[in-house]
Amino acid sequence: MIIQGNNPYVQPSFSMANRLMRGLWGVVWLILFRPSPRPFHAWRRLILRLFGAQLGRHVHVYPNVKIWAPWALTIGNFVGIADGVTIYNMAPISIDDHCVVSQGAHLCGGSHDIDSANFQLIAKPINLEKNVWVCAEAFIGPGVTIAEGCVLGARAVAVKSIIEPWSVWAGNPAVMKRVRKRGGGK
């Protein structure tokens, strides 16, 4: 998908077909997705599915969510994606059942190879397993998997996979703070 060995200063990093599809998506997002009323989740699901997103039941994607490529997005059942979230999915991003991605969070599937002469663009998938909560303004980098039941705290930065299930992470870089209690914390 990413053109290798190009000159990023004067040449595109993606094929013409990819750029045209993203252009069409941008127009549809601006005219039909973004201005839709907040409760119109079914409408936004329909638009996302028309652009290839794989969505489960009861998915709530709010109108101000920015999605780079809906065709590289998979969302499970009972998932909420809040306003202001950025899903920069140059590589596939998967969000499993019962996840919440809070306002302003950024899931970033792309970066650059800082050791290459042309800062080669690279992309790696992101995976949120079941029952994950990504809190407000948290950042998840390319290639990161967040294990089942984890909480990534507000403004936390995850650049490496979190493999300890049902744990709470905070900070930059994110560090584990504790293990979550199951069953409502009682």
Side-chain angles (χ1 to χ4, degrees):
M1 183 163 135
I2 296 174
I3 296 171
Q4 301 293 313
N6 66 328
N7 179 343
Y9 303 108
V10 296
Q11 295 173 316
S13 295
F14 293 90
S15 70
M16 179 62 77
N18 179 280
R19 290 180 284 147
L20 288 172
M21 193 67 170
R22 285 188 290 117
L24 177 61
W25 163 244
V27 169
V28 169
W29 180 85
L30 186 65
I31 295 171
L32 299 175
F33 189 95
R34 172 65 187 97
S36 63
R38 288 178 60 80
F40 282 34
H41 299 294
W43 171 249
R44 289 186 294 278
R45 284 192 303 267
L46 172 66
I47 293 170
L48 288 169
R49 285 182 176 125
L50 288 173
F51 277 85
Q54 297 175 16
L55 306 177
R57 298 181 328 274
H58 304 289
V59 172
H60 289 186
V61 178
Y62 284 85
N64 198 24
V65 173
K66 296 175 188 165
I67 301 168
W68 194 79
W71 50 91
L73 179 62
T74 302
I75 300 177
N77 301 310
F78 300 96
V79 172
I81 311 292
D83 270 326
V85 169
T86 298
I87 298 176
Y88 191 39
N89 55 339
M90 287 190 239
I93 290 182
S94 176
I95 301 170
D96 211 336
D97 300 343
H98 300 280
C99 287
V100 174
V101 182
S102 293
Q103 62 275 10
H106 191 127
L107 283 63
C108 182
S111 188
H112 294 269
D113 179 355
I114 62 171
D115 293 320
S116 73
N118 69 340
F119 293 114
Q120 179 63 54
L121 186 62
I122 55 175
K124 296 179 182 176
I126 292 172
N127 182 34
L128 306 183
E129 295 181 357
K130 292 179 181 179
N131 302 300
V132 167
W133 177 19
V134 178
C135 296
E137 298 183 358
F139 177 89
I140 300 174
V144 171
T145 293
I146 307 291
E148 180 176 2
C150 287
V151 173
L152 183 63
R155 294 197 170 180
V157 175
V159 292
K160 295 182 181 177
S161 290
I162 295 174
I163 60 172
E164 296 82 1
W166 297 94
S167 54
V168 178
W169 293 71
N172 180 6
V175 294
M176 190 168 102
K177 297 298 184 178
R178 68 179 182 89
V179 175
R180 280 182 65 196
K181 295 177 184 174
R182 297 191 201 191
K186 295 179 182 177

